[in-house]
DNA sequence: AGACAAATCGATCAAATGATCGATTCATGG
DNA sequence: CCATGAATCGATCATTTGATCGATTTGTCT
């Protein structure tokens, strides 16, 4: 039961539908199996119409990257705040990522696929790099705040620690149904690894 | 200046040349851009000969996965030993991975690419899963040993911690020339995160 | 040397794939 | 209601790509 085929959708809306279908297919078949025909079919339009809205496949990948980045960033908690408890902010940030894996599994999967194609697409690589910098930056700030608050180890280096945390989170992408079993145990380990020792 | 084209190479040797060329191309173009013609050209044989040695592209991916797994495992240090210092063993393990990124960048890149294709190839997925279990298992054992030795935190959970370490290491794959700048700073952070607090 | 198996190649095929073009349909403002 | 532009479609193209087949060359064993 698909959404009733709806003719004559405005450009922006149609492009959004295309991006969503492309993300889903990217998560299912992988980049190597992404076909413009499949995307068009899932949207319910012809290949010609798809080409009309997105000139080429390269442009499509750029477009997917941008919309995926925006969609993911929109799911994140408020910006890190030095006045709030850093541990709570860290947990909220991780919780948001966890929720995204459950409710929007296409997002992380799309990132994973696009990263493999980034080597060869200048625009793509830029979008991906920008996103990763933004995302890791949030964790770096939270960790810095927490260290200043005395919650985390004084010898904790925020940037390396942020890379450790984000890398660990990303590893939970592309897993089967039971793939998230270890998510919170692993987060607990991260937390213990960051917290200042209590003498 | 290629290695002088050499006709009539025995099956096993030819298949090894094919696997190596495929790994290199996989690292360069990505899975989506992997073409049997390109592989054959790099090896210096015709597509027919390639097909003679490896039946299909699916079989090729399986074969690549197996040889890559073996090549990577061969680079690792001796098995974890409860009698030796766990921190030294951990560092040696990480050093081996670091060296592999420098001297055999095709290995990690190939794994990253194949993982994207694993969803859809039963045999591939099995090989990849087996490898990841083996690799993470080494770290789990080292961490357990170190905890028993009193070197690591008593509340450290070996399996989650091992996932954290391996995930962080993997994140250093597919980077540019300066991509390894933060490798050792990040490892130092991992080490600080694992070590038992000194009162 | 002769025979048999192994390895290689050139030619070719059928399907897949991204892209283009012209015609057609729908929406919307005047 | 009609004129203009936006959106959609069907047909078609040129290339790419994985795969097959038969013929040929090379190694090896006796």
């Amino acid at each position: 039961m698909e959404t009733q085929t709806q003719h004559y959708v405005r450009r922006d809306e149609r492009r959004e539908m295309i991006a969503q279908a492309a993300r889903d297919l990217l998560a299912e078949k992988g980049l190597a199996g992404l076909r413009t025909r499949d995307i068009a079919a899932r949207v319910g339009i012809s290949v010609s119409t798809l080409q009309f809205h997105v000139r080429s496949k390269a442009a499509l990948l750029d477009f997917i990257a941008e919309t995926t980045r925006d969609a993911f960033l929109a799911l994140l908690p408020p910006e890190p705040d030095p006045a709030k408890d850093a541990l709570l902010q860290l947990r909220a940030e991780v919780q948001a990522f966890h929720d995204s894996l459950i409710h929007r599994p296409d997002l992380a999967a799309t990132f994973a696929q696009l990263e493999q194609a980034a080597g060869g697409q200048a625009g793509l690589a830029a979008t991906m790099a920008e996103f990763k910098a933004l995302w890791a930056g949030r964790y770096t700030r939270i960790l810095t705040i927490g260290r200043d608050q005395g919650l985390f180890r004084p010898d904790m280096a925020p940037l390396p620690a942020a890379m450790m945390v984000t890398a660990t989170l990303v590893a939970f992408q592309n897993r089967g149904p039971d793939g998230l079993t270890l998510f919170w145990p692993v987060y607990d380990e991260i937390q213990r690894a960051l917290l200042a020792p209590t003498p």
Side-chain angles (χ1 to χ4, degrees), chain A:
Chain A
M1 42 188 306
E2 291 282 330
T3 301
Q4 178 62 20
T5 301
Q6 182 179 2
H7 280 257
Y8 278 83
V9 175
R10 278 189 199 64
R11 183 145 209 173
D12 291 335
E13 189 179 353
R14 191 56 104 189
R15 280 169 65 95
E16 185 48 52
M17 298 170 71
I18 291 173
Q20 183 58 50
R23 274 193 292 267
D24 293 339
L25 284 171
L26 219 38
E28 294 174 20
K29 317 265 188 177
L31 176 66
L34 186 66
R35 302 286 172 258
T36 58
R37 278 171 167 76
D38 296 337
I39 300 175
R42 182 156 301 201
V43 176
I45 58 180
S46 70
V47 192
S48 313
T49 304
L50 177 63
Q51 236 84 352
F52 170 77
H53 288 292
V54 184
R55 309 179 200 290
S56 66
K57 195 175 182 181
L60 174 67
L61 293 183
D62 289 346
F63 178 58
I64 296 174
E66 294 168 12
T67 58
T68 305
R69 158 174 55 81
D70 296 341
F72 182 80
L73 292 179
L75 297 178
L76 296 184
E79 281 287 313
D81 183 346
K84 296 181 188 170
D85 181 277
L87 190 54
L88 292 182
Q89 294 188 71
L90 177 63
R91 185 179 282 275
E93 191 81 18
V94 172
Q95 179 76 53
F97 182 78
H98 179 265
D99 291 348
S100 82
L101 286 182
I102 292 185
H103 299 113
R104 297 294 307 277
D106 55 313
L107 297 182
T110 297
F111 274 123
Q113 296 292 335
L114 289 184
E115 194 145 66
Q116 311 303 328
Q121 300 271 92
L124 239 189
T127 303
M128 299 293 295
E130 177 207 5
F131 163 75
K132 284 193 288 187
L134 271 178
W135 194 45
R138 295 176 60 95
Y139 281 92
T140 305
R141 266 169 280 151
I142 293 178
L143 294 174
T144 304
I145 293 172
R147 191 186 54 179
D148 294 344
Q149 290 176 344
L151 290 176
F152 298 145
R153 280 183 289 108
D155 61 353
M156 185 264 294
L159 179 54
M163 297 190 60
M164 185 180 77
V165 175
T166 54
T168 304
L169 292 180
V170 167
F172 280 94
Q173 163 269 124
N174 84 349
R175 305 232 169 186
D178 64 327
L180 292 181
T181 305
L182 288 175
F183 187 93
W184 290 116
V186 168
Y187 171 74
D188 290 340
E189 181 57 36
I190 290 178
Q191 193 169 296
R192 288 193 294 272
L194 294 175
L195 287 177
T198 56

